[in-house]
Amino acid sequence: MKLGIVGLPNVGKSTLFNAITNAGAQSANYPFCTIEPNVGVVAVPDKRLDKLAEMYEPEKFTPATIEFVDIAGLVKGASQGEGLGNKFLANIREVDAIVHVVRCFENDDIVHVEGSIDPKRDIETINYELILSDIEILDRRIDKTMKLLKGDRKYQAELDFFQRVKAVLNEGRAARSVECTPEEAELLSTVSLLTNKPIIYAANLSDTDFQDGSADANPYFAVVRKIADEEHAGVLPICAEIEAEMAGMEPEEKELFLSEMGLEQSGLDRLITACYDLLGLISYLTAGKPEVRAWTIKKGTKAPQAAGKIHTDFERGFIRAEVVAFDDLVSCGSMTAAKEKGLVRSEGKEYVMKDGDIVLFRFNV
């Protein structure tokens, strides 16, 4: 999974990126501090995988990973070349989802490019620039389709659809708001439109507002949540400052710190959970002495396609999947004991994978 982080300058975007990736992106109290796209890869925390590692003591431990891409803060006029953000929009065109960091804290020591805190205005500014950038990309695709149309009338429906999408963008609405048939949705996915990507609004709160679940009392967060609800987008209260404090801590120290703050999970854990939900993703696990590993798939994926994540030969020559639920394996203590108790199932080509399935694929090519 690949996530792009966007936002205005000085909203806590790079601070959050640094904290969750420990990648050391520069962060300072002036606009355009990030002048190159920063990329960081983090392991997806999964206690089930940790438990399997305890059981098998594998030679290799491979969690699922997420790649974060942090680009320069966008400003009004970015699509026309203002600031530095537009230069890097290409770097997030291929991401799976966008994390839009919105400033929801007051701090006279940290300047705001617009001079005041206003989440609605800030969100509209970013969305407007993304829409203008998308129009430019879509215009290129429309030109290409029109050329194809001269030689083959079958492209008329494609052209009509793309012009309908452009009309929505021209109204200032995101491409994701276009009502599509499954075929049209597939066609739209062939154009890398930023506003067609799932989005999570990360409302960056002060540490005071964030502690003990008091985010709901923050009027700025209420504004962000209302916008997210209207757009059917994700929303996540977060405190970049707290995440930065935890970044260098050992696991035990971090757990104690979270407990003292009245929090159950770090911002990274909650962000990953929110992104998995937003994108409809789950993980299945493979376990043995050579390797313990997590594999990320879409909800609804059938066993042969899940096997194909490991290797195309697994899908091509799929025979069956030997599946055991994580809790059953742990309670039995080993795969052999789980088999003796009849808890290991033999599943065929129509089996729909479940989150936390531990699988051994049988195949022949």
Side-chain angles (χ1 to χ4, degrees), residues 18-57:
N18 285 344
I20 61 181
T21 66
N22 279 327
Q26 194 179 5
S27 173
N29 178 26
Y30 54 90
F32 313 128
C33 180
T34 306
I35 57 171
E36 292 294 336
N38 294 296
V39 179
V41 179
V42 300
V44 174
D46 192 332
K47 290 182 179 177
R48 298 170 303 189
L49 209 62
D50 296 336
K51 182 63 181 176
L52 292 175
E54 277 178 32
M55 290 173 64
Y56 286 92
E57 297 181 349

Side-chain angles (χ1 to χ4, degrees), residues 1-2 9 16 61 67 81 87 107 112 122 140 174 177-178 204 229 255 261 264 274 293 313:
M1 181 159 59
K2 193 172 180 178
L16 181 62
F61 178 82
E67 184 175 309
K87 180 181 170 187
N107 188 329
H112 190 292
D122 294 353
R140 289 183 211 161
S177 68
V178 177
N204 188 14
D229 288 346
E255 216 166 284
M261 296 286 287
E264 292 182 8
R293 182 164 181 165
D313 283 352

Side-chain angles (χ1 to χ4, degrees), residues 140-157:
R140 289 183 211 161
R141 181 59 179 267
I142 287 172
D143 287 344
K144 182 182 173 184
T145 306
M146 288 176 79
K147 286 172 186 171
L148 292 169
L149 183 59
K150 289 176 183 175
D152 192 338
R153 300 304 297 174
K154 74 177 183 183
Y155 288 98
Q156 185 63 55

Side-chain angles (χ1 to χ4, degrees), residues 77-98:
S79 54
Q80 276 78 48
E82 289 293 322
L84 297 168
N86 184 53
K87 180 181 170 187
F88 301 112
L89 284 176
N91 293 95
I92 58 168
R93 287 211 172 271
E94 302 310 315
V95 300
D96 299 303
I98 288 174

Side-chain angles (χ1 to χ4, degrees), residues 169-239:
L169 293 174
N170 282 333
E171 290 171 3
R173 293 191 288 135
R176 74 179 76 85
S177 68
V178 177
E179 289 189 17
C180 300
T181 64
E183 294 74 23
E184 287 171 339
E186 195 172 329
L187 182 58
L188 189 56
S189 71
T190 65
V191 190
S192 295
L193 299 183
L194 294 165
T195 63
N196 191 40
K197 297 183 184 299
I199 189 166
I200 284 184
Y201 290 107
N204 188 14
L205 306 168
S206 68
D207 57 351
T208 309
D209 281 343
F210 188 72
Q211 288 180 52
D212 300 318
S214 56
D216 290 337
N218 181 305
Y220 299 131
F221 175 64
V223 171
V224 177
R225 185 166 56 185
K226 183 173 184 292
I227 291 169
D229 288 346
E230 288 169 355
E231 294 184 5
H232 305 292
V235 62
L236 184 74
I238 203 161
C239 177

